[in-house]
Amino acid sequence: MTQRLGPKPVASDNVASDNKDWRRLAGSMTGPLIFPGDDQFEALARPATNRYAAPRPQAIARCATPTDVAQVISFARRHGFKTAIRGAGHSFADHSSTTGLLIETGLMNTIEVRDDLAIIGTGARLAEVYRVLHHHGATIPAGCGPTVGIAGLALGGGLGVLGRAYGLTCDRLISAQIVLADGSMISCNDSSGQDLYWALRGAGAGNFGVVTALTFRTLPEPQAVAFHLSWPSHRLHHALVAWMEWTSKASDAMAGSLVIRAAADASVAPQAHLIGAFLADDPKARNALAEFERLAGAAVGSRQLPAAPISKVKAQLAEIGAEVGAGSSTAVDHSASEFHRESLPPALAAALIEAVTTQRAQGQARELAFTPMGGAYNSVPADATAFVHRGEKFLLEWTTTSDPIQPSATTQTASQWLGHIRQLLHGLGTGRAYQNFSDPELADPLAAYYGQNLPRLRKIKDRYDPDDFFHHSQSIPPMT
């Protein structure tokens, strides 16, 4: 691998360092320090979403150990570099990019299972987490995206098809290792560093330090059944109204998300999709799909896969999701979200359907995704962890996916459509958004993400990062 001694001079807010400084940092690290022009730089500098391909760091520190992280923090503080922390780079608001020094944790990806505990490095991706846990007959509740990083998911909450039965990913977190702004390395749990442990479960991404390892209490891996049902455009309203009634009555073993999607090709009729899984040993959940069809009308497409371990089911659901939301490799996503505690009125449901299906821009897909909450998600008090969204019925995410080669699929049309949906929903939701679906357009993002837990989070920020070293556009500020 080609590797330079230091970066080429670039325009930056940061204080410049000479090559000797960079050499000293590289020599102090187990992992590599990568600069523009090095073999891996372009691939590592690019985040997972095409919306944010522009920011380029002066260097990427691929930290292989917590000591590497501490050395990088010390270097950045001495030389005035801005930093960002990146696991898998899926931040919807690009919080994991910087023009300064990028702290990349992908090499800290070990997964160790001891009895019912899983100690997972924060560079691990979900596909590998599920694979290793499966070999031990275990799992944790988490998402389906195979390339999503465990750290960003868990530190912001963590929704998934096991969530109604077993809770958030962060609800299974029993300990975390973290490197703080002063370079110290600590572990926090319910008996040591309790305030930080509380904060990391829902507000831990990029706010208090660089988390290097997470310990989860696992559960025996269950068998589950993946499904995908679909309805044509003239049944969209029926499907949405039916889902509002059905999801609140469904067993906690059932997780069925409703997706209403208009494809980027404006000549293709919109469809509704019910996608999810249920635990195979729950008879009520097994009968729930027939009940949904009774309410919404018979599905035109219906697929129910054989029961399988949840690790396989999540891979199946990832494939189904990719089929439903297929776009070009250069497609650009814009999205927003809001939690809701009450069913949407039928008139609003009709207005949302109209917004998806009319005045479409060629090359720009539109989607409404309704994710069920309730069950174990809501069994934890709102102040027991930093994840405040504990009394919700569902989460609504609305998204545009734009093909940049289509002249009508612009950022402006995407923003206008997102704003229109926001206006339609105004006053009917909680006003709170899912922090893992970070939204750069929110007027008050911290209130939306953390609600009444924000004052306590700011006090914890005061204690662990009073100088606000870990900072991004929507990070939690200290009180002082």
Side-chain angles (χ1 to χ4, degrees):
M1 180 183 79
T2 303
Q3 191 166 353
R4 302 179 186 275
L5 296 178
K8 297 178 181 178
V10 294
S12 172
D13 296 334
N14 303 314
V15 179
S17 299
D18 63 28
N19 284 345
K20 289 182 180 179
D21 295 321
W22 289 109
R23 280 197 293 267
R24 289 191 194 99
L25 176 59
S28 71
M29 293 177 59
T30 303
L33 189 61
I34 299 173
F35 300 100
D38 289 343
D39 292 345
Q40 292 181 293
F41 182 86
E42 293 301 328
L44 290 170
R46 188 167 52 248
T49 173
N50 290 326
R51 183 177 178 182
Y52 302 107
R56 290 168 58 85
Q58 289 202 36
I60 301 171
R62 297 209 75 195
C63 298
T65 66
T67 301
D68 282 0
V69 175
Q71 293 288 352
V72 173
I73 290 172
S74 176
F75 177 90
R77 293 192 74 113
R78 285 198 311 272
H79 298 286
F81 278 97
K82 295 178 180 178
T83 63
I85 307 162
R86 178 176 297 173
H90 285 85
S91 171
F92 286 16
D94 205 29
H95 297 157
S96 62
S97 294
T98 181
T99 55
L101 182 53
L102 182 62
I103 302 171
E104 202 268 351
T105 65
L107 296 179
M108 294 187 289
N109 58 7
T110 58
I111 303 167
E112 181 182 358
V113 180
R114 303 177 192 164
D115 298 324
D116 66 342
L117 300 182
I119 303 95
I120 304 176
T122 50
R125 310 289 180 99
L126 291 187
E128 185 65 8
V129 170
Y130 295 142
R131 186 190 69 80
V132 173
L133 293 183
H134 169 72
H135 286 301
H136 293 269
T139 195
I140 56 175
C144 293
T147 64
V148 170
I150 185 65
L153 177 82
L155 297 175
L159 307 179
V161 293
L162 292 181
R164 284 164 58 95
Y166 296 105
L168 297 166
T169 310
C170 73
D171 292 338
R172 308 294 296 190
L173 180 67
I174 65 167
S175 180
Q177 295 177 351
I178 184 170
V179 183
L180 302 175
D182 62 3
S184 61
M185 294 171 272
I186 68 170
S187 293
C188 58
N189 48 52
D190 62 3
S191 60
S192 176
Q194 296 98 322
D195 55 351
L196 187 57
Y197 172 58
W198 176 89
L200 293 182
R201 289 174 292 161
N207 283 308
F208 304 100
V210 181
V211 180
T212 57
L214 300 165
T215 300
F216 296 95
R217 178 104 38 212
T218 65
L219 55 99
E221 183 176 26
Q223 296 273 311
V225 176
F227 58 83
H228 175 205
L229 287 71
S230 59
W231 288 263
S233 57
H234 69 277
R235 302 297 298 183
L236 301 185
H237 185 259
H238 297 82
L240 180 49
V241 172
W243 188 86
M244 290 292 160
E245 177 183 346
W246 174 82
T247 193
S248 59
K249 299 177 182 178
S251 163
D252 291 345
M254 164 64 76
S257 293
L258 184 71
V259 177
I260 296 173
R261 183 175 177 85
D265 183 348
S267 67
V268 175
Q271 284 191 314
H273 305 267
L274 186 69
I275 302 170
F278 59 85
L279 297 179
D281 62 357
D282 188 292
K284 183 179 178 182
R286 186 171 289 276
N287 296 328
L289 294 180
E291 173 63 15
F292 188 89
E293 287 196 83
R294 185 188 70 78
L295 295 170
V300 295
S302 180
R303 182 165 40 143
Q304 194 172 137
L305 300 176
I310 193 66
S311 52
K312 182 176 181 179
V313 168
K314 292 193 175 189
Q316 293 168 339
L317 291 174
E319 292 177 1
I320 292 170
E323 292 169 6
V324 170
S328 72
S329 61
T330 58
V332 177
D333 291 338
H334 294 78
S335 67
S337 71
E338 187 176 25
F339 286 99
H340 289 254
R341 293 189 171 182
E342 303 292 339
S343 295
L344 299 180
L348 176 58
L352 289 171
I353 298 299
E354 181 180 9
V356 172
T357 58
T358 62
Q359 297 181 331
R360 293 163 64 185
Q362 182 64 29
Q364 194 166 78
R366 299 171 178 174
E367 182 176 288
L368 304 174
F370 298 83
T371 299
M373 299 295 290
Y377 288 137
N378 292 355
S379 66
V380 177
D383 61 355
T385 68
F387 190 89
V388 74
H389 317 292
R390 295 293 190 172
E392 322 304 348
K393 180 175 181 176
F394 65 91
L395 172 68
L396 171 57
E397 182 189 14
W398 57 104
T399 305
T400 64
T401 303
S402 306
D403 185 344
I405 68 170
Q406 294 288 343
S408 59
T410 65
T411 298
Q412 181 180 6
T413 58
S415 180
Q416 288 173 344
W417 188 79
L418 293 179
H420 178 53
I421 299 297
R422 204 185 300 273
Q423 287 180 333
L424 289 175
L425 295 170
H426 180 69
L428 293 171
T430 63
R432 294 179 181 165
Y434 183 29
Q435 49 266 52
N436 277 353
F437 296 163
S438 50
D439 178 0
E441 304 301 322
L442 283 172
D444 191 350
L446 299 183
Y449 300 151
Y450 309 118
Q452 67 267 28
N453 287 339
L454 181 59
R456 183 178 176 186
L457 287 166
R458 294 189 65 187
K459 290 178 182 177
I460 295 169
K461 178 76 167 183
D462 257 348
R463 178 176 180 183
Y464 291 97
D465 185 18
D467 298 328
D468 202 22
F469 175 77
F470 296 106
H471 176 85
H472 56 70
S473 61
Q474 295 183 338
S475 60
I476 296 167
M479 293 291 287
T480 55

